[in-house]
Amino acid sequence: MKKVSVIIPLYNEKDSLPLLYEELGQALESYTSDYELIFVDDGSTDGSFQVLRDFQTRDARIRVVRLRRNFGKSAALSAGFRLADGAVIVTIDADLQDRPSEIPKLFRKLEEGFDLVSGWKKPRRDPLRKRIPSLIFNRVTALLTGVPLHDINCGFKIYRREVIEEIKVYGEMYRYIPVLASYRGFVVGEVPVEHGPRRFGKSKFGATRFIGGFFDLMTVIMLTRYNKKPLHVFGVLGASLFMSGLVIEAYLSIGWFFQRWIGDRPLFILGVLLLVVGVQFISFGLIGEMIAYSTRRDEDYSVRETVESDLRSAAEIRVPLVRR
Ligand code: UDP
Ligand code: MG
């Protein structure tokens, strides 16, 4: 096993690659020579792959994965994680906005006892239209998940291998790896990193990336907090709606006994609506429970280590059978 794997997802970053390669080499050499660089070409059309292949013929520590078309950064990262051999895995953007010279800083933080350290771009060299949505996004995420990172979306991170082996990433979910990791008991931290303006090419993401992000956030919250008890969310919600409906209808019924016609009252309709929606929510919760039960994996927990004697496996110390 290699000591360190660096995963670099890239899409049309031809001009950044030579400098990136050189700077990565310098930054890693100061730490170890036992590393690999995994470039994941996410369907580039600008000749990035040819540049990478050229590096590869000269340096055996380089591995290049070429996706058949542009699948998106998340897919590119997954492809890289699958290949990575290292005990420690670094991810870094290819556009030189993340500085390879900051990698040792991530290593130092990891060695303080963290399992995952996220970069925190500070100050961030992106246009305001990107910084403001990002700020809101990070605040809301920190608040709702309880994982207090300032820049959860940062592409510059370092992981212990165990983290990657345990966490499944799909869709745009890579943003939430820290949340999923923290939920499984991994120690998550962050460290401020230098951030540069984009030097070559152009950004692949606009501010719209955050819209889908909030839906992913809902998914993550369901998956972490309520994964094993969907009925707890839907049940509480459904029961309170149902009870409010019941109270409304009871109140109207009492009036009806005193000759008050209730068929045309808006409150009547509201009460019925609450009853129906309440029952629906409870049913969702029950279906959720059935799905959770039938798809339950054995690894609903995460083991840090197991301590036991080596002698256990030796056949000689079999416990003698006691005969009376
Ligand atoms: N990227 C990718 N596939 C995509 C879009 C982006 O591999 O479909 C890579 C991109 O080449 C870069 C990193 O993801 O290395 C971050 O993208 P970008 O710099 O465009 O994002 P920004 O820094 O503007 O948020
Ligand atoms: Mg960038």
Side-chain angles (χ1 to χ4, degrees):
M1 192 192 273
K2 289 272 176 205
K3 210 162 166 187
V4 182
S5 299
V6 182
I7 300 176
I8 310 119
L10 64 117
Y11 176 50
N12 292 345
E13 307 283 5
K14 181 181 62 168
D15 297 328
S16 305
L17 294 176
L19 198 56
L20 178 72
Y21 172 45
E22 190 185 318
E23 291 188 9
L24 280 171
Q26 283 165 6
L28 288 158
E29 270 325 322
S30 68
Y31 182 78
T32 173
S33 54
D34 187 22
Y35 67 85
E36 59 178 3
L37 302 179
I38 301 179
F39 288 92
V40 186
D41 175 9
D42 185 15
S44 297
T45 51
D46 69 341
S48 292
F49 180 71
Q50 281 64 36
V51 177
L52 294 171
R53 193 152 60 179
D54 186 43
F55 293 162
Q56 205 284 323
T57 52
R58 283 181 281 131
D59 185 344
R61 287 173 303 195
I62 291 190
R63 304 168 84 184
V64 186
V65 189
R66 184 186 195 184
L67 302 188
R68 224 177 271 284
R69 65 166 170 84
N70 178 235
F71 281 94
K73 186 176 173 185
S74 189
L77 284 172
S78 302
F81 285 140
R82 172 165 291 193
L83 210 64
D85 242 356
V88 169
I89 295 164
V90 177
T91 59
I92 183 168
D93 283 358
D95 57 356
L96 293 165
Q97 289 197 272
D98 301 333
R99 311 297 311 153
S101 54
E102 297 282 79
I103 291 179
K105 213 193 248 178
L106 294 179
F107 275 121
R108 278 197 295 277
K109 188 79 181 173
L110 195 76
E111 280 158 7
E112 282 174 26
F114 290 91
D115 297 307
L116 186 174
V117 177
S118 176
W120 171 12
K121 303 185 283 277
K122 193 180 159 186
R124 186 165 172 184
R125 300 288 164 75
D126 276 322
L128 209 61
R129 70 186 148 75
K130 216 153 146 179
R131 269 163 26 215
I132 291 173
S134 169
L135 182 80
I136 299 172
F137 181 80
N138 278 300
R139 287 283 163 83
V140 173
T141 305
L143 194 77
L144 293 182
T145 62
V147 179
L149 296 184
H150 291 86
D151 191 5
I152 192 163
N153 207 2
C154 187
F156 200 12
K157 288 189 171 63
I158 189 164
Y159 310 80
R160 288 188 198 279
R161 179 172 196 85
E162 298 87 304
V163 178
I164 298 307
E165 283 179 352
E166 281 201 21
I167 289 170
K168 290 187 288 188
V169 204
Y170 66 90
E172 297 288 292
M173 226 43 132
Y174 67 93
R175 282 191 199 121
Y176 294 104
I177 293 180
V179 176
L180 297 168
S182 162
Y183 170 72
R184 293 187 76 78
F186 290 109
V187 188
V188 175
E190 70 181 352
V191 70
V193 289
E194 208 183 297
H195 189 236
R198 200 178 236 285
R199 310 240 305 257
F200 309 100
K202 54 181 189 288
S203 170
K204 312 314 182 282
F205 298 103
T208 48
R209 61 149 60 142
F210 296 102
I211 298 171
F214 279 106
F215 287 111
D216 292 337
L217 181 59
M218 279 166 63
T219 310
V220 165
I221 289 171
M222 275 305 288
L223 288 180
T224 50
R225 295 212 188 153
Y226 301 110
N227 188 19
K228 270 167 263 145
K229 39 184 182 177
L231 191 55
H232 289 213
V233 205
F234 290 108
V236 168
L237 207 64
S240 28
L241 294 177
F242 185 85
M243 288 315 288
S244 333
L246 207 62
V247 168
I248 289 175
E249 298 304 337
Y251 161 75
L252 291 177
S253 307
I254 293 167
W256 183 79
F257 282 113
F258 295 96
Q259 316 297 317
R260 190 114 164 49
W261 178 242
I262 59 176
D264 57 354
R265 296 185 63 181
L267 195 59
F268 175 66
I269 312 268
L270 176 67
V272 172
L273 189 71
L274 290 174
L275 288 174
V276 172
V277 173
V279 170
Q280 276 183 339
F281 270 120
I282 295 173
S283 314
F284 287 151
L286 287 170
I287 293 175
E289 289 289 337
M290 288 157 85
I291 295 174
Y293 180 76
S294 54
T295 57
R296 203 183 296 276
R297 296 171 299 138
D298 289 336
E299 332 84 71
D300 270 345
Y301 48 83
S302 177
V303 176
R304 188 196 295 264
E305 57 192 323
T306 309
V307 182
E308 59 184 9
S309 164
D310 291 344
L311 292 176
R312 267 182 61 86
S313 54
E316 309 86 73
I317 57 160
R318 212 176 284 141
V319 180
L321 202 68
V322 183
R323 292 238 168 81
R324 291 196 206 180

